[in-house]
Amino acid sequence: MKLGVVGKGGVGKTTVAGLIARAYRDHGRQVIAIDTDSNPNLGMSLGLTLAETDAVPVLPRAVIVGTGGDRSAAELIDQYGVTTPAGVTLLSAIRVAEAGAGCTCSGHATVRTLLGEVMTDLADVTLVDMEAGLEHLSRSGGTLAYADVLLVVMEPSRKSVLTAVRTKALADELGIAHVLGVGNKARSAEDRRFLEEACSAEGIALVGVLPHEEGVAEVDRAGGVVAVSETARQTIDEIVASVDAAVSAVAARQPAP
Ligand SMILES: Nc1ncnc2c1ncn2[C@@H]1O[C@H](COP(=O)(O)OP(=O)(O)OP(=O)(O)O)[C@@H](O)[C@H]1O
Ligand SMILES: [Mg+2]
């Protein structure tokens, strides 16, 4: 299964991507996580130190992955994948290390062709933590064009819901089967209600709302692995169950080969 985590800047994509990747791993699934942020920090959500995260080798740009291409997916993962303390294999796709290094389109192109490959021999779940914004759904035919599911993370704010609505429209155009909403940083019952009502009005399936937890922000400041409350952990498990249900529903509708 290929899963993209998207949403407006700062809503918690990397935090949620790390929690989802670890939940799948805890359920015994093999997980590859791809960081496509030009300022990558998914590694820290998976237990690497800052120095280790910075040392993750960056995937080569503009590589065509797969049969008839430059490299196989297995070769790339072998050469560039780093096993994190969480047990998830991390790939870093886009790091911008110097000013004036040019646009990151060719890095996105590598991720796009990598996702175009059948990854099921290499991982049960390939999860992509996207950088903020919508460009990745239009650039190079859409970095996430081959995703099965997009999880669009929203804070309790109108702007982040609007980003989700635009994301869904672009994902529909790309033919991505499922766009599921995840609320994050809810501080109150009103925050939850806002997200539920706004998503329902906009036709976005909200599959879970994570609370605002001071511990998450503190760990972020101190630079460690995010630990969440039991309630948040259960919500993550529910989100994972909803993603699995969505993907099996699609698989069940496809004719047998
Ligand atoms: N549930 C939460 N409770 C409290 N703080 C949170 C929560 N989720 C995320 N944060 C904090 O919000 C900030 C942004 O989170 P994160 O980096 O995961 O967002 P992002 O969407 O990946 O950001 P960017 O768009 O820059 O990639 C961080 O300081 C993080 O610790
Ligand atoms: Mg991020």
Side-chain angles (χ1 to χ4, degrees), residues 1 5 11 53 96-98 164 203 209 249-250:
M1 186 216 327
V5 182
V11 290
T53 300
V96 173
E98 55 198 67
V209 178
V250 171

Side-chain angles (χ1 to χ4, degrees), residues 5-246:
V5 182
V6 300
K8 191 178 170 306
V11 290
K13 296 177 293 297
T14 301
T15 306
V16 170
L19 291 169
I20 299 270
R22 279 156 54 194
Y24 271 118
R25 187 69 202 118
D26 290 349
H27 293 176
R29 312 275 274 275
Q30 231 180 333
V31 185
I32 294 174
I34 307 178
D35 193 339
T36 67
D37 202 320
S38 45
N39 179 19
N41 50 23
L42 180 61
M44 294 176 74
S45 296
L46 298 172
L48 297 180
T49 62
L50 176 59
E52 287 165 341
T53 300
D54 282 345
V56 175
V58 181
L59 283 174
R61 293 183 173 196
V63 165
I64 297 171
V65 184
T67 326
D70 309 315
R71 307 283 295 274
S72 73
E75 272 169 14
L76 279 187
I77 291 159
D78 220 35
Q79 189 174 347
Y80 294 93
V82 168
T83 305
T84 62
V88 170
T89 301
L90 176 67
L91 292 172
S92 177
I94 315 282
R95 184 188 311 129
V96 173
E98 55 198 67
C103 93
T104 58
C105 299
S106 51
H108 280 274
T110 301
V111 175
R112 181 173 191 272
T113 71
L114 184 61
L115 287 186
E117 279 302 282
V118 179
M119 300 283 283
T120 36
D121 291 350
L122 305 167
D124 301 312
V125 179
T126 303
L127 178 150
V128 185
D129 174 22
M130 286 307 297
E131 69 186 330
L134 298 168
E135 211 189 338
H136 47 77
L137 289 169
S138 54
R139 176 167 38 194
S140 320
T143 314
L144 292 174
Y146 297 109
D148 301 305
V149 180
L150 294 190
L151 280 182
V152 54
V153 183
M154 291 163 281
E155 288 175 334
S157 79
R158 182 67 58 191
K159 282 184 181 156
S160 70
V161 175
L162 274 177
T163 302
V165 173
R166 293 184 187 125
T167 301
K168 188 168 181 330
L170 290 170
D172 287 348
E173 276 178 40
L174 285 174
I176 298 172
H178 285 280
V179 178
L180 304 176
V182 172
N184 188 30
K185 306 192 199 182
R187 290 174 186 269
S188 60
E190 286 94 282
D191 280 353
R192 280 174 182 275
R193 206 163 32 248
F194 168 78
L195 284 166
E196 283 160 10
E197 289 175 2
C199 286
S200 157
E202 299 291 355
I204 293 171
L206 186 66
V207 292
V209 178
L210 291 158
H212 184 280
E213 296 194 343
E214 200 38 52
V216 173
E218 264 167 34
V219 166
D220 184 78
R221 287 190 289 269
V225 179
V226 169
V228 290
S229 66
E230 183 51 27
T231 319
R233 214 191 47 71
Q234 277 171 13
T235 304
I236 290 286
D237 279 346
E238 284 160 22
I239 294 167
V240 163
S242 298
V243 170
D244 284 345

